[in-house]
C-alpha cells in the first residue's frame, strides 16, 4: 500500500491476501493451486509484481472471482500509482 497527500492505492495483492485468508488457505497451498512459486505469490501479494492476464485467469480458476474483476483492479491500482508518482514529482519541484 502506498500513501500520498492526495490518495491511497491498494495493490491487488491485498485483495488476494484477504481472499486466501478467508478461505483458510496457506500461501504455500495457494501457490500450488495457482501453479506459481511461493516467491512469486509473495511478490504478487506485496504489490512487487504486476497482475498479468495469465495470473488473472489463474485467480479466476482458483478463487472463482472473474478475470474482469482482477484486470479492473490492477488497472485502477496502476493508474492511482502513476497519479501518486506524478503528484509527488510535482511536490518535489515546488
Amino acid at each position: 500500500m502506498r500513501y500520498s497527500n492526495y490518495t491511497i492505492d491498494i495493490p491487488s495483492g491485498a485483495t488476494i491476501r484477504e481472499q486466501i485468508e478467508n478461505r483458510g488457505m496457506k500461501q504455500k497451498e495457494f501457490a500450488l493451486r495457482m501453479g506459481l512459486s511461493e516467491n512469486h505469490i509473495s511478490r504478487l501479494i506485496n504489490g512487487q509484481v504486476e497482475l498479468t492476464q495469465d495470473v488473472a485467469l489463474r485467480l479466476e480458476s482458483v478463487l472463482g472471482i472473474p478475470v474482469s474483476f482482477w484486470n479492473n483492479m490492477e488497472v485502477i491500482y496502476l493508474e492511482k500509482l502513476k497519479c501518486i508518482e506524478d503528484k509527488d514529482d510535482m511536490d518535489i519541484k515546488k
Side-chain angles (χ1 to χ4, degrees), residues 12-56:
S12 306
T15 302
I16 295 168
R17 176 183 286 126
E18 181 179 283
Q19 290 296 316
I20 62 176
E21 286 173 358
N22 288 344
R23 288 167 169 76
M25 263 190 266
K26 299 290 182 197
Q27 198 166 305
K28 182 176 185 172
E29 177 188 355
F30 181 67
L32 285 170
R33 289 184 182 197
M34 290 285 291
L36 299 169
S37 71
E38 286 182 69
N39 182 49
H40 188 82
I41 294 297
S42 178
R43 295 178 68 217
L44 179 65
I45 287 172
N46 291 308
Q48 297 169 333
V49 295
E50 287 186 31
L51 194 154
T52 63
Q53 181 69 15
D54 176 60
V55 172

